[in-house]
Amino acid sequence: MLSGFSALVYQVAWQRALLAIYGVNAESVTLVVTAFMAGLGLGSLLGGRLADRPRIDHLRVFAAIEGGVCAYGAGSLSLFELAGGIAGGGGPGAVFLATFALVLLPTALMGATLPLLVARAAGRSGNVGWPLAVLYFANTIGGAVAAVVAAVVLLRSFGLQATVLAAAAVNGLVALLALALRPASLRGRAPAGPNGRTEPVPSGRLAWGMACAALVGFASLSWEILWLRVYAFATGGTISVFGLFLGFYLFGIATGSLVARRACTGDSAWTPARIATAAGVVAAVGGVAAYLHSPIAGWVSQHGPPLAGLPVAAAAGALYGAILPMVTHCVVPADARTGRRVSYVYLANIVGASLGSALTGFVLLDVLGMAENSAALLLLSGVLAATLLLGPGERRPRRIHVAAVAAATAALLLSAPALYASLYERLLWKTPSAAARPFADVVETRAGVVTVTDAGAVLGTGVYDGRLNTSLDDDRNMIYRAYAVAALHPAPRRVLMIGLGSGSWAQVVAHLPGVEEVVVVEINAGYLDVVRRYEVVRSLLTNPKVSIVIDDGRRWLGRAVGERFDAIVANVTFHWRTNATHLLSRESMRLAASRLAPDGVLYFNATDSDEALRTGCTSFRSGVRFGSFIAVGNGDVAFDVAAFAHAIRTAVVDGRRAARQPDSWIEANLERLLDDAHLETCPRILARTTGVRLITDDNLASEASVPWYAYHRPTAD
């Protein structure tokens, strides 16, 4: 249990650390997860071979492994930072190789522990399924607790480095406990090895078990990816939401494993054929529960807190979690090759999970929507159920079960239009009448979900991200802040924009006098589809001054060695969202500073966060706040009111004046805008925010500034 706790803490913390180096786009996320899983799989093979060696002391080897993980974990973040400086600017291939090299040793050690301990327990009990179920339960329940504790307490209160050191300390404690709890009869002498006999396994049975384990891994991780998208959309996405979701899901898997031990006791009534049949029924019910989860989560969001749907995810996880111990018990006898055979089944499960992460998270989400992906996984669950039902033993009686699974799957697929209709509207608006407010557009990609309301508001994964408007006459999106670029730099010839959003900001900046080149870096290609569909911003895609790159903004900056910009404009998302630190931290500010011309300006949206304002002011020599934005630089940054007034009066976008009202209206409106903007210089900001934490890659201060239980509630459209 303690080993599982530390392993999950590492996964959460290392993923944050690695993504800060390689980017938070879908490619990097998928590569990091795949590399982590690949290490676990290789470690499983290693553990299986070690476990079956004659006269091996399983607990002593286990203690050595935990000690090795402890040592690596303690220095891991420093090693990651060093490697990032070498490979951080490479493409996906370099990212994967670097990540694989960084996590291979510790994850291989982690993956070796389960086969090792199962072999020891099986040698003592003469049973494989029962100890596997109990050990898998303990390991997974430790991970479930870690997911919540890491996201709700450790990362928020202590930061990345302290979180990783806490995990390393737990590994050290586990190593000491393993040595201290070794039976007295083993101390000072070599232990007895596994039973020398090897029981034959019927031809094809092990392959059948591995195939089932792979399907379970694929389905489990794929559902996890889809459901995390559901909860991120419904809540706006915070570090706590990810931890709570993962904790509930892992708790369900652990519980299912524990319940499955009842079928693995060795009782003569539970023959392999009966266990396979039970597992098939469990897989079928699990597929149904998983398919219904997202619609239920949508209904729950309409009537209460979105996270109230998490018990449904836990229930589906419990059904999937019961399958692996039952399948392993059917195909692995307790003999001299127990460890190796368990490692094969465990490896197959990990390979399936890796494929689920890569195929679903990287490919299918780009081609299929939520409903279609859920339907594909429901079909896969039906295939898994049929494979289990037609497993070892007599098959004829189970054909009825297979027919029932096929009928239930077909019925659910036919009901998909009703179940998944207006899902995103229900998740966002959180009212019983949500379906009456349909989105004008929904664009789903692997990077997230972009929706557009009928009033032209653009939302990225459930949070306001701009409005399709460049006019100052009906300024409902505070687009005047984009025209303020002209007041912050006298001649911004080269402009870098991090984030495309609705395209309105880029459209305005590209039409400012003197601007010759605009480079836009956007992480989600779905925004391009939105821009393409709306006339007010469509010309952006054919403007010769504008080039759009699909990449992570910070990673692109890291690779843009030699580039210098007069202005970097970052209309970034709210400071409390997951990975907002990636663009608001002191380290990110320093990177941006290195890409500015000597008199260049970084103009970014602090979203009224004192942490972000203070971090910007301490990272540069001077700066001035304008509304929710702040402009900072190493030159003399000031707000030129006359230049702003001139930009407002003369701005033309696509041949149309931005403000077509009389000059008297413009003057009055300008005065109101300046009053609302609350211009504030950096010295005043620093004096006002004394004691406020700076945002760093380590402390995640902006993300930790909201309560762990908070979630996004949309305001009036």
Side-chain angles (χ1 to χ4, degrees), residues 508-553:
V508 167
V509 171
H511 285 83
L512 290 176
V515 173
E516 298 175 3
E517 180 186 5
V518 178
V519 179
V520 183
V521 182
E522 171 55 53
I523 200 168
N524 186 350
Y527 287 103
L528 290 176
D529 289 341
V530 172
V531 169
R532 193 174 291 114
R533 296 174 189 180
Y534 292 89
E535 183 181 358
V536 66
V537 289
R538 187 180 300 138
S539 66
L540 191 66
L541 301 180
T542 55
N543 190 328
K545 290 195 223 176
V546 179
S547 57
I548 301 176
V549 181
I550 302 301
D551 201 351
D552 171 83

Side-chain angles (χ1 to χ4, degrees), residues 127 129-134 137 255-266 270 322 325-326 329:
N127 183 297
W130 195 93
L132 173 62
V134 174
F137 160 77
T255 303
S257 176
L258 186 64
V259 172
R261 80 191 192 283
R262 297 175 181 269
C264 305
T265 58
W270 283 97
M326 297 169 76
H329 186 75

Side-chain angles (χ1 to χ4, degrees), residues 389-450:
L389 290 168
L390 298 176
E394 295 295 328
R395 299 183 180 184
R396 181 171 299 176
R398 281 173 280 180
R399 290 177 183 170
I400 298 175
H401 296 83
V402 174
V405 169
T409 301
L412 282 174
L413 291 176
L414 290 173
S415 65
L419 289 171
Y420 281 82
S422 304
L423 174 62
Y424 288 120
E425 286 85 351
R426 286 180 277 152
L427 292 170
L428 180 75
W429 300 127
K430 301 177 179 63
T431 62
S433 60
R437 303 180 64 188
F439 291 124
D441 269 308
V442 177
V443 179
E444 299 182 72
T445 70
R446 64 192 180 205
V449 183
V450 183

Side-chain angles (χ1 to χ4, degrees), residues 20-36:
I21 298 170
Y22 300 125
V24 296
N25 55 348
E27 292 86 348
S28 294
V29 171
T30 302
L31 290 173
V32 169
V33 172
T34 303
F36 202 95

Side-chain angles (χ1 to χ4, degrees), residues 310-382:
L310 287 175
V312 182
L319 291 162
Y320 280 107
I323 298 172
L324 185 63
M326 297 169 76
V327 167
T328 307
H329 186 75
C330 287
V331 301
V332 179
D335 62 11
R337 300 189 63 190
T338 293
R340 186 172 304 185
R341 287 169 175 162
V342 167
S343 74
Y344 292 156
V345 178
Y346 187 43
L347 172 64
N349 184 254
I350 292 171
V351 169
S354 301
L355 288 174
S357 169
L359 187 59
T360 302
F362 192 66
V363 179
L364 294 181
L365 285 177
D366 246 359
V367 243
L368 302 174
M370 176 66 71
E372 293 78 14
N373 272 296
S374 298
L377 287 177
L378 176 64
L379 287 171
L380 181 70
S381 297

Side-chain angles (χ1 to χ4, degrees), residues 77-98:
L77 295 188
S78 298
L79 182 61
F80 290 179
E81 187 175 355
L82 177 63
I86 300 171
V95 171
F96 178 78
L97 289 175

